[in-house]
Each structure stands twice: as C-alpha cells, then as structure tokens.
Amino acid sequence: MEIKVKAGDILATKSDAAILALFEGEKPSGMLAKADKALGGAISRAIEQGEFSGKADETLMFRDGKAFPGGPDRLLVVGLGKKGKFSPDNMRRAAGVSATALRALNLREITASLPDGAGGLDATGSARLWAEGALLGLYTFDRFKAPDPKKKELKRLTLLAGRDDEPSAKKGAEAGRKIAEAVCVARDMINTPANEMTPTVMAGYAKNIAREHKLKLKVLEKDDCEKLGMGAYLGVASGSVQPPKFIILEYRGGKSGASPTVIVGKGITFDSGGISIKPSEGMEKMKYDMAGGAAVLGAMQAVAALKLPVNLVAIVPATENLPSGSALKPGDVVRAMNGKTIEIISTDAEGRLVLSDALCYAQKYKPRAVIDIATLTGACVIALGDLAIGMMGNNDGLISEVRAAGEASSERVWELPMWDEYLERMKGDVTDLKNVGGRQAATVTAGKFLQEFVGDMTWVHLDIAGTAWEEKNRPYIPKGARGTGVRLIVEYLMAI
Ligand code: BES
Ligand code: MN
Ligand code: ZN
C-alpha cells in the first residue's frame, strides 16, 4: 500500500472511505463536527445512544455517498481511548484497526485525518505512528496459500494534514514506512518455515540488506569459526547438515572512529531441543527461535534506511539445533571463544551457547553498548507472558534507556535481578560453567550465564521467548511473528 501525505480537507477529498478519530467521552469537534453535521447528526446520536464511545480500537462506519459531495463515500470513526490516558500506541492501534476494517470491505483508496493535540505529539510523530500502525496491521503472510484472485488489498492511504504540517507529516510518514517495512521483513523471516529459512537463507537476507544499503557484510563459515575457537556455537551446529552461518553486518552512519553499538540476535532457525529433544506437541513453533536474529537484521535495515547518525554492528550466530549422530550430547564439554569450558546438561539450552561465542566476538568492536535479543527461555513466558520482554543487564544507564525505548515503542521490557548468587547455579562440577542451572529462576540464570561472556562491555540482554509470537491477532499485530524488537532497538538508537 502506498502512503501519501497531502494538505487539504478530508471531507472534500475523494476516497472510498475517510477515517476520523475520536477520544473516548468527547463530543465531535473540528472535522468530526463538520462530518456529523453533513450526516444529519448521526455521529452524535450514535454516541448518545451508546453505540460508540471512542474506546481504543472501537470503530463505527457510516455509509452515505451523498453526505460528502466530491469527498469520501464512507466515513469510519475510530476510537483513541481517553485523552488523559493517551499513549502513542493508541494511535498505531487506531491506524491498524481502521486499515484492516476497510480492507475487509474490499476498498482501494482511503484517507485519514491525523488527530491533533494527542498526547503532545507533533505532526511528524502522529504521521509516523499512523503509517506504522496501518502497514503493520495490513501485514499478511500468504506465500503458501493458493493465489486468491479476489485478494483484498488497499491501494493507497492518504493522510490529510494542515498546510503548515504537511512537510513534517511527510517526514513522519516516510520514517513510519521504513520502520514498518523492516518489521515486516523480520516477520517474513520468522514466519517462513525452517526448511526454507535455513542459516544460509538467513545469510541471504543479510546480503540483500547489505546490497540495498551498501553495508559491510561478513559471513563466517564453519572453518572461520573453528579458527576463532567458537566451540560452543559449533557444538550446537554439529547436529545439523545445514552449514552454520555467523552473520555480521556493519553500518557506519556516525562519526568515524566512534565506537559502535552492537546488537546480537539468536539465530536458531529450528530448535528441536537436539538430543534433549522437545515434546512433539507445539514443536512446529520452534521455527521462531531465530526471532532475535530476525530482529537485529530488521533493525539494521531500518537504521540504514533512516540513515540514523550512529555506528551499528549486527551479529547473528545462525544454526539449527537438531539431534543426529554428530550432535552434542548431555555431558559433552565445549570451550567457548573466551576459553571458558561448558558442560552440556541439556542440548535444549542451546541459545546461550550460540550467544556466548557471539558475545565474545562482539568484544572485538569495543562497543559503547551491546544489546542481545533472544527467544531464550520458556521460563520467561511463564514469568511475563506475552506482554513484556525480560531484561537483564550490567549498566543502569543502558537499562533505563532501553526501558524508555520500550515505553515509546510499546515493546515493553521488565527488568529481572542479576544478583551474583544466581551464578552459583551455573557453575560446573568439572567445567567453568554448565549450561543449565535448574528450574528455579531459569530466565535469570540464563542471563547470568551470558554475562560470563560479555567481559567489560556495557550490556543488556532481552528475552523475547514470550513476546515474539502473536496467538490472538491484535490491532496492528496479526497472528504469527510479531517482529518483536525491531521497533524497540530502532527507538533506542534514535534516542542516543
Ligand atoms: N528456544 C527455547 C526457549 C523457548 C521456549 C522459546 C518457549 C520460545 C518459547 C530454548 O532454546 C530452550 O529450549 N530453553 C530451555 C532451557 C532449559 C533446557 C534450561 C527452556 O527454557 O526450557
Ligand atoms: Mn532450546
Ligand atoms: Zn532455543
């Protein structure tokens, strides 16, 4: 769908439908008051009779082709929730529900008027949120369905702005589009089944991003990783016939010589559990165990498209975790790149193994900060459900910056403790570490394990096991891969 920004009167601009937003409990004012009058007071009556109140995600449709001569054939009023409780996410949600509702009617051209005065947002911010919400809500993953000749697709969304706001709204809509497109690339990668989303294919995605935005790409092959001593990563890879790919993308938009931010994403393209095999029920979902990797590649695409003034390195240790005659076994000992030895208690705790070598590798960049993101523990799903990303780290400044980015992007994070006592559970009997520390606080012990490989880097770890996949269908998040982390990381990098 194309997004345009234009100055003008929405009620005098031809379209299949116009979208106007209303805060909960408010009477129609401004453009809505005009529309209400043209509809003979139908909007006010609907509000008085309790058919519509402006709650977030609520919609009400009016169809009267003659009400707006030369303007829209229909009017969709969408709720923004209470003005006093406004969060930027209400705007994304309104954009998402209204776009999907109008697509369902098989319309082509729609317009929307950006509500002003919402939560102190300027025209750039509103247009960005609206574009994000609409494009993310309209996302579909249908490449494995028979082609539908009657497929419903919106052609164009025109955002109507005031004359003075037009240039800033254009900028906002453009940024929103770039961010949403990057989230959708991540969603595509994650939704794609593991037989098609192999480590090699993931590296291919990185190559496309590198080509499109002239980034530096390095893909370390198995031999390269052996030379570097990445025994933990290669241990996981040893069970698969798919060659592992250790993917590195570098973007330089900041001062030359300024140390980069490094983002590391878990890239397990399928997690069967390995020899410690998972129950078969629900195992198909483990194609999303590369969601962290997809998030860092998506974030890299967005940052490069937005030309943010930062230096950024994305690292994805990609491999499958499968059982075979050459796979890791419980009791095996591997040695990570920093020399630490690890006894494998469960081959299903593979994420921390691939990340340990990736974090060691990140140290080469002397980064100003490192953020790793991973579908790391089932325990995080139990602790925080699908509403919050689990966060651990070693620097309060970075932790609060990531928390703020979480609020702004509505990819919220919740901090878990990192007390040293938790590390005791991860100490090995015959090795420096073991890869499982028991059932208690399993999200935290996984974080403590990772900390053994961050050296003196400023670091945050994000566990997205509970937040990477959508089960229900939400206003701008259809069922399936959410693309979690792309918006969070981009927001963080926009704010530094
Ligand atoms: N990829 C899983 C974690 C996961 C679970 C992600 C559910 C998404 C949904 C990870 O590799 C894993 O298997 N973790 C184990 C670790 C355990 C063996 C210490 C877990 O959490 O059960
Ligand atoms: Mn696992
Ligand atoms: Zn896993």
Side-chain angles (χ1 to χ4, degrees), residues 106-269:
N106 213 0
L107 305 183
R108 292 279 175 273
E109 303 240 6
I110 63 172
T111 52
S113 177
L114 294 174
D116 41 31
L121 283 169
D122 58 8
T124 312
S126 313
R128 178 186 148 192
L129 290 167
W130 202 277
E132 271 184 35
L135 291 170
L136 291 174
L138 293 170
Y139 173 84
T140 52
F141 183 72
D142 51 14
R143 9 181 316 238
F144 293 104
K145 295 246 190 209
D148 178 1
K150 291 200 286 276
K151 186 172 171 182
K152 296 173 178 168
E153 233 168 331
L154 290 172
K155 219 178 96 210
R156 185 180 304 123
L157 163 65
T158 306
L159 301 177
L160 276 307
R163 194 149 304 282
D164 296 345
D165 287 340
E166 190 187 349
S168 33
K170 270 195 172 137
K171 262 190 227 146
E174 206 38 55
R177 153 174 301 286
K178 286 170 181 165
I179 294 167
E181 278 173 356
V183 174
C184 291
V185 169
R187 287 180 180 175
D188 276 344
M189 295 172 73
I190 301 164
N191 283 325
T192 300
N195 58 336
E196 293 205 7
M197 187 47 58
T198 59
T200 306
V201 173
M202 250 191 125
Y205 270 73
K207 198 169 175 181
N208 287 341
I209 297 170
R211 191 183 307 122
E212 174 85 23
H213 298 285
K214 304 192 171 57
L215 308 179
K216 189 166 160 200
L217 170 73
K218 274 190 274 183
V219 178
L220 305 184
E221 306 293 334
K222 186 172 166 226
D223 295 353
D224 306 317
C225 297
E226 253 158 25
K227 283 185 199 121
L228 289 164
M230 295 184 175
Y233 168 56
L234 291 178
V236 176
S238 67
S240 169
V241 296
Q242 290 293 339
K245 301 282 170 179
F246 192 97
I247 304 162
I248 306 145
L249 271 177
E250 296 179 20
Y251 165 77
R252 303 217 144 261
K255 292 203 184 76
S256 70
S259 62
T261 303
V262 177
I263 49 180
V264 178
K266 172 176 172 182
I268 299 294
T269 57

